[in-house]
């Protein structure tokens, strides 16, 4: 699926929180079109910060990040347009609680992309069908289960026709019986060729669809491997030790 054009390109990214704590240390990573990159590593290693930098939710101190050629770190870059291009799904779904599911899927399409209400609604309906939630279109987020809300969050990001999708532990706040319904949607997306960066501890997902696994520790990208090499033959002691705790 992957061709050679990079969708996301990070070069020597450094970031500090305050004067004394460097959260990202010289991180470089290129994600090609159609590639699925899984990011893992211990809690506090900088995974969330790294992917938030990709869509401009966190500024970097130096280094460069481009998304399909747009410089994320350029202050002139319009962040709403960038965030339409790179959809993001968080651990806690962050749907708009006072809007129906359909309205959640339409607002960005209308406000950011300038689609007509009819066009936005048609797109919303098609996406809700795809994630198996057509029957819930008129409900409010609070009336849905966690797994259903997370599928809505994925559909909402997809409604913007993104070039890439970022996921930050999308299943870790869910009850176990709901994890698979969300992973199934993500697997289908990966198999359809979506470019994805996914922070997750779901190593079954990683083994199934990841083209590459990135292992982070203490703000560094310590190791990048393909799924076979990384799981069966990690290069570093740090990765070995992490895997022994989670597998
Ligand atoms: P991960 O997602 O791998 O758990 P994070 O990127 O959330 O890691 O956090 C990396 C480190 O940065 C942690 O030590 C965390 O406490 C710290 N951190 C995260 N966000 C902030 C912030 N806004 N201000 C200061 N420190 C932060
Ligand atoms: Mg995190």
């Amino acid at each position: 699926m992957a061709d050679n054009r990079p969708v996301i390109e990070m070069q020597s990214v450094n970031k500090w929180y305050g004067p004394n704590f460097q959260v990202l240390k010289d991180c470089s990573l290129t994600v090609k079109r159609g590639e699925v990159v899984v990011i893992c590593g211990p809690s506090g290693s900088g995974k969330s910060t790294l992917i938030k930098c990709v869509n401009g939710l966190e500024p970097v101190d130096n280094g460069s990040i481009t998304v399909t050629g747009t410089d994320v770190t350029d202050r002139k870059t319009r962040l709403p347009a960038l965030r339409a291009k790179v959809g993001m799904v968080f651990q806690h779904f962050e749907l708009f609680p006072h809007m129906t599911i359909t309205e959640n899927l339409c607002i960005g399409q209308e406000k950011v992309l300038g689609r007509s209400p009819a066009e936005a609604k048609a797109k919303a309906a098609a996406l809700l069908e795809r994630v198996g939630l057509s029957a819930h279109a008129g409900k409010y987020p609070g009336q849905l289960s966690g797994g259903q809300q997370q599928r809505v969050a994925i559909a909402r990001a997809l409604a913007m026709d993104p070039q890439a999708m970022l996921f930050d532990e999308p299943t870790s706040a869910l009850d176990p019986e709901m994890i698979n319904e969300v992973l199934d949607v993500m697997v289908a997306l990966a198999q359809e060729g979506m470019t994805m960066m996914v922070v997750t501890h779901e190593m079954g997902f990683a083994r199934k669809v990841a083209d590459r696994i990135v292992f982070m520790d203490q703000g560094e990208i310590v190791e990048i491997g393909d799924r076979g090499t990384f799981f069966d033959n990690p290069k570093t002691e740090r990765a070995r030790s992490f895997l022994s705790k989670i597998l």
Side-chain angles (χ1 to χ4, degrees):
M1 248 344 152
D3 68 26
N4 283 328
R5 283 171 299 162
V7 175
I8 297 165
E9 203 161 18
M10 312 183 89
Q11 272 170 6
S12 303
V13 168
N14 288 287
K15 177 178 175 64
W16 281 259
Y17 283 128
N20 301 320
F21 177 58
Q22 186 171 5
V23 61
L24 296 178
K25 299 173 186 159
D26 210 31
C27 293
S28 296
L29 178 67
T30 300
V31 184
K32 291 181 217 155
R33 189 164 299 284
E35 226 185 353
V36 177
V37 172
V38 163
I39 299 170
C40 64
S43 175
S45 55
K47 306 178 300 292
S48 293
T49 302
L50 184 85
I51 66 166
K52 281 187 202 152
C53 289
V54 172
N55 74 346
L57 280 176
E58 283 285 354
V60 307
D61 290 293
N62 58 60
S64 73
I65 304 177
T66 57
V67 175
T68 59
T70 302
D71 182 354
V72 176
T73 58
D74 184 344
R75 288 152 115 227
K76 293 195 290 291
T77 295
R78 277 188 62 238
L79 290 178
L82 172 73
R83 287 181 196 142
K85 224 156 59 151
V86 194
M88 179 142 179
V89 175
F90 301 90
Q91 188 172 355
H92 301 283
F93 337 116
E94 310 200 17
L95 299 172
F96 305 119
H98 57 295
M99 292 183 189
T100 66
I101 301 309
T102 295
E103 286 164 354
N104 264 277
L105 266 67
C106 289
I107 182 157
Q109 298 188 67
E110 293 174 28
K111 295 266 188 279
V112 179
L113 302 181
R115 288 184 184 149
S116 71
E119 206 181 346
K121 264 196 173 152
K123 179 96 183 175
L127 283 166
L128 287 177
E129 168 96 53
R130 175 164 161 190
V131 299
L133 293 172
S134 298
H136 303 281
K139 292 186 182 167
Y140 288 87
Q143 296 173 284
L144 268 54
S145 72
Q148 290 171 329
Q149 289 187 58
Q150 194 59 299
R151 286 185 281 150
V152 172
I154 295 171
R156 182 176 62 174
L158 292 175
M160 308 300 278
D161 292 325
Q163 300 281 317
M165 290 278 285
L166 310 175
F167 292 86
D168 191 2
E169 302 203 32
T171 59
S172 51
L174 298 176
D175 292 333
E177 73 272 19
M178 293 174 189
I179 290 176
N180 280 333
E181 67 190 63
V182 172
L183 290 178
D184 287 348
V185 170
M186 293 170 61
V187 167
L189 207 53
Q191 289 172 342
E192 285 159 29
M194 177 60 78
T195 307
M196 295 165 62
M197 268 175 88
V198 185
V199 177
T200 185
H201 295 133
E202 293 292 335
M203 292 299 132
F205 171 83
R207 278 185 186 277
K208 202 183 258 177
V209 295
D211 294 297
R212 286 185 298 154
I213 320 277
V214 171
F215 171 68
M216 288 187 75
D217 192 19
Q218 295 179 23
E220 282 177 74
I221 292 180
V222 174
E223 184 164 339
I224 303 181
D226 60 40
R227 55 192 167 206
T229 325
F230 180 73
F231 289 116
D232 301 331
N233 198 6
K235 290 196 282 284
T236 60
E237 182 49 44
R238 282 200 269 181
R240 260 194 295 279
S241 150
F242 172 73
L243 286 172
S244 73
K245 286 177 202 136
I246 63 160
L247 291 181

